[in-house]
């Protein structure tokens, strides 16, 4: 033990927040309430695989899912005791070894799999590279639960002067769990927004309004799961480490000012030479949408200094 200890034992005081990077070891029986921001939670109370899974689903998200090498080694570095076996969210289905989120097993870190064993544990005491062991699902072992996971990346779909739209993909794991996103957006001040996810769509898109122009915002998006403890009827809040991004609102709508001048064809012919001058004047004083009626007219003319023509009759955007 020792060097990678990341341990919190048993009862968390109601308001206590535990900000470990990776894992919390919940050593006994009854979970109290609190707020944790851990991805993996080691539960040291031996149970059969299915019971352990039920426990994880009612207190966290599910049994631990390790989709990548990186996740496998991250979990190893957080193992709190090097002599135990921990159930993972990996079992054998007719189509092969599957994680509980439906993904196929891609890791090759088997110590051994026998033909009877349909549930997989992580053997803390085995060699680094080969810690997966298929066991009979009825054996009782400690287990690792999976906490919520924030989006891998967030994309900025739209930005204007006071408004932006963001979206992100929702992993298979999070699609099966009712959760919400805590979005903290910091410009001059920070504001906290929350967006529920309550359908099974694989994309979340949100809209943030009332922003200031030309302002750089730091945005933190984190997944939050709340469980109600049946016995104590207290809330158990799990918040994943946030995904961070930066986005800037545009300076002003000036670049989208629409100029239009209504005039009749006859006066247009006479005025062509003076268009450049009109353009200059209009441009100088324009901070807003500008419209000018030169005479009782019939045409809206594209007003571009270097190219004036009657053939292109439409609004112009500078
Ligand atoms: C692991 O070691 C700890 C003491 O270091 C002991 O209390 C515990 O019972 C051991 N667990 C197993 C499964 O051997
Ligand atoms: C969501 O997933 C799709 C395809 O899997 C990908 O093209 C897109 O870039 C992803 N979006 C984000 C915000 O990661
Ligand atoms: C949302 O996140 C902020 C910090 O990022 C935190 O202070 C706040 O408590 C969170 N709110 C909830 C309801 O989780
Ligand atoms: C999700 O639930 C909230 C309230 O719980 C509701 O306002 C929102 O419309 C729901 N969204 C969807 C997509 O069902
Ligand atoms: C789920 O919610 C998203 C956005 O919140 C929405 O775009 C999508 O249409 C919804 N899907 C269903 C099936 O309600
Ligand atoms: C934006 O601000 C206005 C006035 O301050 C307020 O009435 C409105 O509800 C706000 N809209 C949002 C989406 O916060
Ligand atoms: C900027 O343009 C958008 C539409 O493109 C509009 O919704 C918004 O109100 C405009 N803002 C100002 C300050 O004119």
């Amino acid at each position: 033990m020792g060097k990678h200890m990341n341990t919190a034992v048993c009862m968390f005081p109601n308001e206590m927040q535990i900000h470990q990077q990776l894992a919390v070891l919940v050593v006994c029986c009854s979970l109290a309430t609190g707020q944790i921001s851990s991805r993996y939670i080691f539960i040291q109370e031996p149970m059969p695989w299915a019971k352990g899974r039920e426990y994880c689903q009612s207190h966290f998200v599910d049994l631990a899912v390790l989709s990548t090498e990186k996740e496998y080694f991250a979990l190893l570095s957080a193992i709190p005791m090097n002599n135990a076996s921990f159930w993972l969210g990996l079992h054998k289905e007719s189509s092969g070894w599957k994680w509980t989120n439906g993904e196929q097993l891609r890791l090759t870190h088997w110590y051994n799999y026998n033909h009877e064993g349909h549930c997989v544990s992580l053997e803390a005491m085995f060699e680094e590279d080969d810690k997966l062991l298929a066991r009979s699902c009825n054996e009782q072992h400690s287990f690792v639960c999976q906490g919520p996971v924030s989006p891998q990346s967030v994309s900025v779909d739209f930005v204007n002067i006071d408004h932006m739209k963001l979206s992100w993909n929702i992993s298979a794991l999070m699609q099966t769990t009712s959760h919400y996103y805590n979005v903290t957006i910091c410009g001059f001040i920070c504001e906290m927004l929350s967006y529920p996810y309550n359908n099974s769509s694989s994309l979340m898109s949100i809209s943030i309004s009332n922003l200031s122009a030309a302002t750089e915002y730091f945005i933190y998006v984190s997944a939050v799961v709340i469980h109600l403890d049946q016995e104590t009827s207290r809330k158990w809040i799990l918040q994943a480490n946030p995904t961070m991004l930066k986005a800037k609102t545009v300076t002003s709508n000036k670049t989208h000012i629409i100029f239009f001048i209504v005039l009749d064809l006859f006066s247009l012919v006479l005025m062509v030479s003076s268009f450049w001058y009109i353009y200059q004047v209009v441009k100088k004083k324009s901070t807003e949408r500008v419209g000018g009626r030169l005479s009782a007219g019939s045409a809206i003319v594209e007003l571009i200094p270097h190219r004036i023509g009657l053939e292109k009759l439409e609004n112009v955007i500078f």
Side-chain angles (χ1 to χ4, degrees):
M1 300 180 52
K3 74 178 153 74
H4 352 272
M5 277 294 283
N6 245 328
T7 311
V9 179
C10 212
M11 304 290 286
F12 300 132
N14 194 15
E15 303 299 333
M16 183 175 167
Q17 293 193 19
I18 302 159
H19 290 292
Q20 270 116 353
Q21 283 303 303
L22 209 56
V24 175
L25 170 65
V26 180
V27 186
C28 53
C29 39
S30 65
L31 274 171
T33 39
Q35 181 159 356
I36 66 168
S37 58
S38 302
R39 177 143 184 188
Y40 302 115
I41 301 99
F42 292 88
I43 309 290
Q44 202 190 5
E45 194 190 351
M47 294 186 198
W49 189 86
K51 279 261 180 257
R53 185 175 186 198
E54 252 173 54
Y55 185 93
C56 289
Q57 286 175 328
S58 65
H59 291 86
F60 303 98
V61 171
D62 207 329
L63 279 169
V65 170
L66 308 175
S67 305
T68 61
E69 290 281 314
K70 199 174 156 206
E71 288 168 358
Y72 173 82
F73 286 107
L75 181 65
L76 293 196
S77 74
I79 290 177
M81 341 177 39
N82 54 21
N83 59 353
S85 304
F86 296 99
W87 287 128
L88 298 177
L90 181 59
H91 63 156
K92 195 178 197 173
E93 291 181 4
S94 52
S95 55
W97 296 102
K98 284 271 184 78
W99 293 103
T100 47
N101 68 356
E103 281 174 20
Q104 205 82 38
L105 172 69
R106 289 199 298 268
L107 304 177
T108 53
H109 299 296
W110 287 107
Y111 174 74
N112 195 3
Y113 53 93
N114 58 53
H115 293 290
E116 292 85 56
H118 283 195
C119 290
V120 179
S121 66
L122 182 83
E123 300 298 312
M125 72 185 91
F126 292 174
E127 293 293 318
E128 283 271 296
D129 276 353
D130 301 306
K131 287 189 194 284
L132 302 184
L133 180 63
R135 294 171 169 278
S136 157
C137 300
N138 294 326
E139 291 175 27
Q140 305 209 5
H141 296 289
S142 299
F143 48 99
V144 196
C145 295
Q146 167 83 54
V149 183
S150 293
Q152 248 179 359
S153 66
V154 173
S155 81
V156 180
D157 298 336
F158 173 83
V159 162
N160 73 2
I161 189 166
D162 59 357
H163 176 207
M164 63 176 77
K165 287 185 178 160
L166 309 176
S167 68
W168 55 86
N169 288 329
I170 297 176
S171 64
L173 180 80
M174 295 307 289
Q175 280 175 38
T176 58
T177 301
S178 145
H179 62 284
Y180 69 92
Y181 290 93
N182 183 343
V183 177
T184 303
I185 176 159
C186 300
F188 303 116
I189 53 159
C190 291
E191 190 184 359
M192 215 196 79
L193 306 161
S194 107
Y195 299 87
Y197 172 80
N198 43 14
N199 63 17
S200 51
S201 124
S202 63
L203 186 75
M204 181 85 184
S205 64
I206 67 164
S207 187
I208 305 175
S209 45
N210 283 2
L211 301 173
S212 310
T215 306
E216 191 162 69
Y217 285 94
F218 288 86
I219 304 166
Y220 305 84
V221 179
S222 55
V224 180
V225 169
I226 295 189
H227 288 296
L228 203 60
D229 189 307
Q230 303 294 351
E231 285 151 38
T232 61
S233 68
R234 281 191 193 149
K235 275 183 181 170
W236 178 253
I237 301 171
L238 304 138
Q239 176 165 356
N241 289 331
T243 302
M244 205 269 272
L245 69 145
K246 229 163 59 170
K248 194 172 175 182
T249 46
V250 303
T251 309
S252 73
N253 281 3
K254 206 154 69 184
T255 51
H256 297 289
I257 291 165
I258 294 170
F259 290 86
F260 61 92
I261 292 175
V262 181
L263 34 77
D264 64 35
L265 290 177
F266 178 68
S267 53
L268 182 68
V269 172
L270 298 178
M271 287 177 61
V272 162
S273 59
S274 56
F275 261 37
W276 171 246
Y277 174 72
I278 295 168
Y279 167 76
Q280 293 291 347
V281 172
V282 166
K283 190 174 180 220
K284 216 177 241 167
K285 60 178 210 177
S286 70
T287 50
E288 287 174 56
R289 187 188 169 99
V290 174
R293 178 176 288 268
L294 297 188
S295 72
S298 52
I300 295 171
V301 181
E302 183 179 23
L303 186 56
I304 294 180
H306 57 265
R307 206 183 103 245
I308 296 167
L310 284 173
E311 46 303 323
K312 205 141 186 244
L313 303 176
E314 58 181 48
N315 287 355
V316 66
I317 295 173
F318 294 119

